[in-house]
Amino acid sequence: MTESYRFLIDAVPAGAVDPGRDRLRQVDGDGTAWWALDISKAHALIAAADDGARPVDWASALLAAVRIADADQNAMHALGPIGARWRMLGQPVTAYWPSEGWRDLAELVVAAVAGRMASRRISTSLFDDATLTVSGNPARPDMLVASLGGCPADDRSFWSVRASEQRYRSLIHHLPWALLQVDATAMAPIFEALRCRGVTDIGAFLATAPEVALESRDIVRVTDANLKALQVLGVASVDQVIGPVDFVFAASPETAKRVIKAHFDGERSYTEVMKLRTFDGRLRDVELTVTYPTPPERLDVSMLSLDDITDRLRTEVQYRQLQADYSRAARISMLGELATSIAHEVNQPLAAIVTNAETSLRWLARDDPNLAKVMQLTARIAESARHASDIVKRVRAMAAPRAPEREPLELNIVVFEALVFVRHELESRAIDLAMRLGSGLPNIFGDRVQLQQVIVNLILNAVQAVGKKGRIDLSTALDPAGGVAFAIHDSGPGIAPEHLDRIFSSFFTTKDEGMGIGLAICQSIITAHGGAIGAANHPDGGARFRFVLPVA
């Protein structure tokens, strides 16, 4: 050791020195770390601090004047530099003592020089429930001994911890996700007070006391932010976001209540999509994820992840609109194929209206009009008109641009409504239609028009496959897995094995004039309803299509 800092035995409190050694005793076994501190150049600063002259940086200035004269092995391990021992000796305390502990050590140095009690419990990253003590000896006024006793938090040194934290901070700061570090410890006493008052449902409590949520947005503070967060928030430096977390929830105040509830309920994390007003005035859609700390983690650190999904949501909206347009184009194309059948369906009630109206006129032209007969015919006219109107409404609903409207539906009724569109196709081709519809089936939850589109499309494909005088079997039943199933089996030639894997692909068709979008639309509709659709060749010949929808 440097000769000018050779430790003097009589400066150490009784029992702290091995008489056979000229340094502090080695105390590796009891977890206590010792330092000898040279305060010869710090007397003026110590006296000023004891007199109350303490500027903001007084602790760092005082400890910068205090030199390390000696240290035991535990102290070297805890705070020593990587490398030779000589690098630590003779250096200012501030070079090695963690900055978060400067004020505690400086106050104890002032107290020890003044002969007052100089011991206190402190919190460090290296010791759990540690006690820091500073001792002096009147015979050696330039020397103090500092000891730190307690159970080591782990076997790492301050330098390895600091290096680890620096690597952690570097990693966090360069991650491609926006992250805010938040100190939410101020919420702990609020939560404790609410629990003492018997509050168990904080969501209901916040509904009646919204000021608690507002207060929390002021007392919970952002302590750090990474580069991606600065970009998302529209700021140039971390200093602009350090402070109350209020800005995160300014555009979505209800989100704050749900975040508080998840924290109060002890959840590990919470996620929702919310609106975020950035510092440069933009309103963005972000997916907020809050990760709450749990023991033994640092309880003052919560992490907020802000995933800007504005562009993704805009793209999804455009995609859904494209799907809707695509589906509508398929419906209009299908209606074009059914034009003859639709005209036939409408002509039937119109012909009945004409016939009944002419008959009514003849009855009214008699010398003795039969009013009872006329009333009966008029009722038939009204019924036929309603029938024609219903057909037109169904066609308009199938063709009109509209947003999906989900509601509880009976699948059997949807099947009957779909048959109205294709009945003439079946009759004109003399196709035998057999139906086995399950009774007492639970409702499904879906869009009536879209499901009609699926069923009509599947029936039309079957009609085109069987030609004239073929057979089509329709059935509905409860699926073994719990859903409601619809199946259609035709007597046609079936599906070529090489086409089975592509049958639902967009623009795949085996028809000379086909567009190849019908089955693709069917699959997208069924999938959007949470169901599944499949195709296979039936063992008895022909193709079989089947879809299953979840129960409402």
Side-chain angles (χ1 to χ4, degrees):
M1 129 187 13
T2 304
E3 189 66 27
S4 61
Y5 284 107
R6 180 169 296 278
F7 191 71
L8 301 177
I9 298 297
D10 58 358
V12 184
V17 179
D18 181 343
R21 304 288 298 275
D22 65 349
R23 293 205 310 263
L24 295 178
R25 65 188 180 93
Q26 309 305 305
V27 288
D28 297 330
D30 65 2
T32 303
W34 297 77
W35 294 264
L37 306 178
D38 179 355
I39 61 171
S40 59
K41 296 181 180 181
H43 285 297
L45 292 170
I46 293 171
D50 198 32
D51 290 339
R54 295 185 176 184
V56 174
D57 60 347
W58 75 274
S60 59
L62 189 155
L63 293 183
V66 175
R67 304 288 167 164
I68 300 174
D70 202 353
D72 75 343
Q73 290 183 3
N74 284 348
M76 288 296 300
H77 171 73
L79 297 181
I82 299 174
R85 174 187 182 86
W86 59 264
R87 293 178 55 190
M88 185 178 189
L89 302 184
Q91 296 299 312
V93 171
T94 51
Y96 297 105
W97 194 272
S99 58
E100 65 267 24
W102 285 356
R103 180 175 294 272
D104 285 319
L105 179 57
E107 289 180 347
L108 292 179
V109 166
V110 172
V113 171
R116 297 190 299 269
M117 169 75 90
S119 180
R120 67 173 58 175
R121 290 189 181 278
I122 64 171
S123 175
T124 75
S125 58
L126 297 174
F127 283 78
D128 292 327
D129 192 24
T131 299
L132 176 62
T133 302
V134 178
S135 306
N137 188 323
R140 304 301 307 168
D142 289 342
M143 281 292 183
L144 296 176
V145 174
S147 65
L148 184 63
C151 298
D154 53 39
D155 61 357
R156 296 177 298 169
S157 71
F158 166 70
W159 294 96
S160 64
V161 170
R162 192 162 76 169
S164 176
E165 289 183 350
Q166 186 59 39
R167 288 193 296 270
Y168 164 78
R169 286 174 58 84
S170 179
L171 173 64
I172 292 297
H173 272 257
H174 291 90
L175 282 174
W177 307 287
L179 295 173
L180 298 177
Q181 183 172 294
V182 172
D183 182 351
T185 52
M187 294 302 296
I190 295 176
F191 287 167
E192 186 62 27
L194 291 177
R195 290 189 177 97
C196 290
R197 290 170 54 183
V199 174
T200 56
D201 185 353
I202 197 172
F205 174 80
L206 292 176
T208 60
E211 67 277 2
V212 174
L214 291 174
E215 179 188 1
S216 72
R217 288 161 51 181
D218 285 331
I219 63 177
V220 174
R221 302 182 65 81
V222 176
T223 57
D224 202 358
N226 70 351
L227 297 176
K228 183 64 175 180
L230 302 185
Q231 178 185 338
V232 169
L233 295 169
V235 296
S237 68
V238 174
D239 294 341
Q240 293 174 265
V241 300
I242 299 299
V245 77
D246 179 70
F247 69 87
V248 175
F249 304 103
S252 299
E254 293 303 311
T255 299
K257 296 179 181 179
R258 291 186 283 272
V259 169
I260 293 170
K261 183 180 187 305
H263 194 182
F264 183 85
D265 292 343
E267 299 290 341
R268 180 56 169 153
S269 62
Y270 177 77
T271 300
E272 77 166 63
V273 175
M274 57 172 278
K275 296 287 185 182
L276 174 72
R277 179 73 66 182
T278 65
F279 282 74
D280 53 4
R282 295 169 296 143
L283 187 63
R284 310 294 288 177
D285 292 295
V286 299
E287 184 175 70
L288 169 72
T289 299
V290 185
T291 303
Y292 305 101
T294 59
E297 300 170 8
R298 290 182 59 189
L299 298 183
D300 61 337
V301 177
S302 295
M303 298 300 295
L304 271 60
S305 168
L306 301 172
D307 184 11
D308 189 343
I309 59 174
T310 307
D311 294 337
R312 189 180 82 193
L313 291 183
R314 186 180 298 120
T315 301
E316 288 177 358
V317 169
Q318 293 171 345
Y319 175 68
R320 286 195 295 269
Q321 182 60 49
L322 183 62
Q323 277 190 316
D325 294 342
Y326 186 39
S327 179
R328 183 182 176 228
R331 290 199 300 271
I332 293 175
S333 173
M334 181 181 67
L335 290 175
E337 296 180 42
L338 293 171
T340 302
S341 296
I342 293 170
H344 177 78
E345 290 295 325
V346 175
N347 280 333
Q348 281 187 322
L350 291 180
I353 289 172
V354 172
T355 300
N356 289 323
E358 291 175 344
T359 304
S360 295
L361 291 174
R362 287 197 298 271
W363 281 105
L364 289 172
R366 291 189 175 191
D367 294 336
D368 184 18
N370 189 336
L371 296 181
K373 190 67 175 178
V374 172
M375 289 180 65
Q376 183 182 18
L377 292 170
T378 304
R380 292 177 182 174
I381 291 171
E383 182 180 354
S384 296
R386 282 192 294 271
H387 184 200
S389 177
D390 288 342
I391 295 172
V392 172
K393 285 180 179 177
R394 289 194 182 100
V395 173
R396 289 183 63 184
M398 190 71 75
R402 53 185 290 280
E405 298 176 2
R406 300 289 179 89
E407 59 181 333
L409 299 171
E410 292 184 39
L411 184 57
N412 289 346
I413 293 179
V414 177
V415 172
F416 281 122
E417 291 170 343
L419 287 173
V420 171
F421 291 97
V422 297
R423 182 165 52 195
H424 179 69
E425 295 289 328
L426 297 169
E427 293 174 351
S428 64
R429 299 174 188 240
I431 293 175
D432 181 19
L433 177 67
M435 293 196 298
R436 299 190 309 277
L437 305 183
S439 61
L441 297 178
N443 284 350
I444 58 174
F445 193 72
D447 181 88
R448 183 183 302 273
V449 171
Q450 288 186 340
L451 294 179
Q452 288 175 5
Q453 179 180 356
V454 172
I455 294 170
V456 169
N457 199 291
L458 293 177
I459 294 176
L460 280 181
N461 283 352
V463 167
Q464 294 165 359
V466 302
K468 292 187 176 181
K469 297 184 178 180
R471 178 183 174 88
I472 296 176
D473 294 316
L474 297 182
S475 64
T476 60
L478 190 64
D479 184 70
V484 179
F486 170 88
I488 179 170
H489 170 217
D490 63 61
S491 60
I495 305 169
E498 64 270 21
H499 294 158
L500 277 172
D501 292 338
R502 304 174 59 198
I503 198 72
F504 292 105
S505 300
S506 297
F507 306 111
F508 173 77
T509 181
T510 58
K511 304 171 187 175
D512 293 338
E513 298 180 355
M515 295 177 61
I517 63 174
L519 288 176
I521 288 293
C522 290
Q523 184 182 54
S524 68
I525 290 174
I526 296 301
T527 301
H529 281 71
I533 186 171
N537 286 315
H538 198 279
D540 297 332
R544 182 175 185 262
F545 288 81
R546 182 175 184 268
F547 66 76
V548 180
L549 295 170
V551 172

PDB file of all heavy atoms in Angstrom, residues 377-389:
ATOM      1  N   LEU A 377    -110.616 -12.177 -52.096  1.00  0.00           N
ATOM      2  CA  LEU A 377    -109.650 -11.989 -53.172  1.00  0.00           C
ATOM      3  C   LEU A 377    -108.682 -10.838 -52.857  1.00  0.00           C
ATOM      4  O   LEU A 377    -107.495 -10.896 -53.162  1.00  0.00           O
ATOM      5  CB  LEU A 377    -110.389 -11.712 -54.488  1.00  0.00           C
ATOM      6  CG  LEU A 377    -111.200 -12.895 -55.043  1.00  0.00           C
ATOM      7  CD1 LEU A 377    -112.077 -12.448 -56.196  1.00  0.00           C
ATOM      8  CD2 LEU A 377    -110.260 -14.007 -55.507  1.00  0.00           C
ATOM      9  N   THR A 378    -109.235  -9.781 -52.229  1.00  0.00           N
ATOM     10  CA  THR A 378    -108.383  -8.647 -51.861  1.00  0.00           C
ATOM     11  C   THR A 378    -107.325  -9.064 -50.836  1.00  0.00           C
ATOM     12  O   THR A 378    -106.173  -8.614 -50.878  1.00  0.00           O
ATOM     13  CB  THR A 378    -109.230  -7.504 -51.301  1.00  0.00           C
ATOM     14  OG1 THR A 378    -110.227  -7.137 -52.268  1.00  0.00           O
ATOM     15  CG2 THR A 378    -108.372  -6.291 -50.988  1.00  0.00           C
ATOM     16  N   ALA A 379    -107.708  -9.919 -49.905  1.00  0.00           N
ATOM     17  CA  ALA A 379    -106.745 -10.425 -48.916  1.00  0.00           C
ATOM     18  C   ALA A 379    -105.643 -11.220 -49.602  1.00  0.00           C
ATOM     19  O   ALA A 379    -104.462 -11.139 -49.229  1.00  0.00           O
ATOM     20  CB  ALA A 379    -107.459 -11.279 -47.883  1.00  0.00           C
ATOM     21  N   ARG A 380    -106.001 -12.007 -50.648  1.00  0.00           N
ATOM     22  CA  ARG A 380    -104.985 -12.757 -51.391  1.00  0.00           C
ATOM     23  C   ARG A 380    -104.043 -11.816 -52.138  1.00  0.00           C
ATOM     24  O   ARG A 380    -102.836 -12.076 -52.242  1.00  0.00           O
ATOM     25  CB  ARG A 380    -105.665 -13.708 -52.380  1.00  0.00           C
ATOM     26  CG  ARG A 380    -106.426 -14.843 -51.716  1.00  0.00           C
ATOM     27  CD  ARG A 380    -107.127 -15.692 -52.764  1.00  0.00           C
ATOM     28  NE  ARG A 380    -107.906 -16.762 -52.154  1.00  0.00           N
ATOM     29  CZ  ARG A 380    -108.711 -17.574 -52.857  1.00  0.00           C
ATOM     30  NH1 ARG A 380    -108.837 -17.420 -54.178  1.00  0.00           N
ATOM     31  NH2 ARG A 380    -109.380 -18.522 -52.247  1.00  0.00           N
ATOM     32  N   ILE A 381    -104.635 -10.724 -52.673  1.00  0.00           N
ATOM     33  CA  ILE A 381    -103.804  -9.744 -53.372  1.00  0.00           C
ATOM     34  C   ILE A 381    -102.762  -9.156 -52.408  1.00  0.00           C
ATOM     35  O   ILE A 381    -101.579  -9.033 -52.735  1.00  0.00           O
ATOM     36  CB  ILE A 381    -104.680  -8.623 -53.964  1.00  0.00           C
ATOM     37  CG1 ILE A 381    -105.522  -9.176 -55.122  1.00  0.00           C
ATOM     38  CG2 ILE A 381    -103.825  -7.449 -54.441  1.00  0.00           C
ATOM     39  CD1 ILE A 381    -106.564  -8.201 -55.631  1.00  0.00           C
ATOM     40  N   ALA A 382    -103.227  -8.783 -51.205  1.00  0.00           N
ATOM     41  CA  ALA A 382    -102.316  -8.214 -50.213  1.00  0.00           C
ATOM     42  C   ALA A 382    -101.229  -9.207 -49.830  1.00  0.00           C
ATOM     43  O   ALA A 382    -100.042  -8.845 -49.688  1.00  0.00           O
ATOM     44  CB  ALA A 382    -103.094  -7.771 -48.983  1.00  0.00           C
ATOM     45  N   GLU A 383    -101.611 -10.469 -49.667  1.00  0.00           N
ATOM     46  CA  GLU A 383    -100.632 -11.492 -49.289  1.00  0.00           C
ATOM     47  C   GLU A 383     -99.598 -11.690 -50.385  1.00  0.00           C
ATOM     48  O   GLU A 383     -98.396 -11.796 -50.125  1.00  0.00           O
ATOM     49  CB  GLU A 383    -101.350 -12.810 -49.011  1.00  0.00           C
ATOM     50  CG  GLU A 383    -100.413 -13.929 -48.564  1.00  0.00           C
ATOM     51  CD  GLU A 383    -101.154 -15.238 -48.302  1.00  0.00           C
ATOM     52  OE1 GLU A 383    -102.408 -15.234 -48.366  1.00  0.00           O
ATOM     53  OE2 GLU A 383    -100.478 -16.239 -48.039  1.00  0.00           O
ATOM     54  N   SER A 384    -100.056 -11.711 -51.647  1.00  0.00           N
ATOM     55  CA  SER A 384     -99.125 -11.874 -52.767  1.00  0.00           C
ATOM     56  C   SER A 384     -98.192 -10.670 -52.886  1.00  0.00           C
ATOM     57  O   SER A 384     -97.004 -10.809 -53.204  1.00  0.00           O
ATOM     58  CB  SER A 384     -99.906 -12.063 -54.073  1.00  0.00           C
ATOM     59  OG  SER A 384    -100.672 -13.259 -54.034  1.00  0.00           O
ATOM     60  N   ALA A 385     -98.747  -9.481 -52.622  1.00  0.00           N
ATOM     61  CA  ALA A 385     -97.912  -8.278 -52.682  1.00  0.00           C
ATOM     62  C   ALA A 385     -96.830  -8.322 -51.615  1.00  0.00           C
ATOM     63  O   ALA A 385     -95.672  -7.952 -51.865  1.00  0.00           O
ATOM     64  CB  ALA A 385     -98.785  -7.036 -52.519  1.00  0.00           C
ATOM     65  N   ARG A 386     -97.197  -8.770 -50.417  1.00  0.00           N
ATOM     66  CA  ARG A 386     -96.191  -8.892 -49.358  1.00  0.00           C
ATOM     67  C   ARG A 386     -95.123  -9.912 -49.733  1.00  0.00           C
ATOM     68  O   ARG A 386     -93.938  -9.725 -49.464  1.00  0.00           O
ATOM     69  CB  ARG A 386     -96.865  -9.270 -48.036  1.00  0.00           C
ATOM     70  CG  ARG A 386     -97.555  -8.117 -47.330  1.00  0.00           C
ATOM     71  CD  ARG A 386     -97.933  -8.488 -45.913  1.00  0.00           C
ATOM     72  NE  ARG A 386     -98.946  -9.532 -45.863  1.00  0.00           N
ATOM     73  CZ  ARG A 386    -100.262  -9.303 -45.867  1.00  0.00           C
ATOM     74  NH1 ARG A 386    -100.708  -8.052 -45.895  1.00  0.00           N
ATOM     75  NH2 ARG A 386    -101.117 -10.290 -45.814  1.00  0.00           N
ATOM     76  N   HIS A 387     -95.563 -11.012 -50.385  1.00  0.00           N
ATOM     77  CA  HIS A 387     -94.617 -12.037 -50.809  1.00  0.00           C
ATOM     78  C   HIS A 387     -93.627 -11.461 -51.811  1.00  0.00           C
ATOM     79  O   HIS A 387     -92.401 -11.660 -51.703  1.00  0.00           O
ATOM     80  CB  HIS A 387     -95.379 -13.213 -51.427  1.00  0.00           C
ATOM     81  CG  HIS A 387     -94.494 -14.355 -51.818  1.00  0.00           C
ATOM     82  ND1 HIS A 387     -94.877 -15.319 -52.727  1.00  0.00           N
ATOM     83  CD2 HIS A 387     -93.225 -14.684 -51.451  1.00  0.00           C
ATOM     84  CE1 HIS A 387     -93.893 -16.179 -52.898  1.00  0.00           C
ATOM     85  NE2 HIS A 387     -92.876 -15.819 -52.117  1.00  0.00           N
ATOM     86  N   ALA A 388     -94.136 -10.718 -52.789  1.00  0.00           N
ATOM     87  CA  ALA A 388     -93.259 -10.093 -53.782  1.00  0.00           C
ATOM     88  C   ALA A 388     -92.316  -9.091 -53.119  1.00  0.00           C
ATOM     89  O   ALA A 388     -91.119  -9.016 -53.446  1.00  0.00           O
ATOM     90  CB  ALA A 388     -94.097  -9.405 -54.854  1.00  0.00           C
ATOM     91  N   SER A 389     -92.863  -8.345 -52.167  1.00  0.00           N
ATOM     92  CA  SER A 389     -92.039  -7.363 -51.459  1.00  0.00           C
ATOM     93  C   SER A 389     -90.923  -8.052 -50.671  1.00  0.00           C
ATOM     94  O   SER A 389     -89.778  -7.562 -50.647  1.00  0.00           O
ATOM     95  CB  SER A 389     -92.910  -6.530 -50.524  1.00  0.00           C
ATOM     96  OG  SER A 389     -92.136  -5.629 -49.779  1.00  0.00           O
TER      97      SER A 389
END
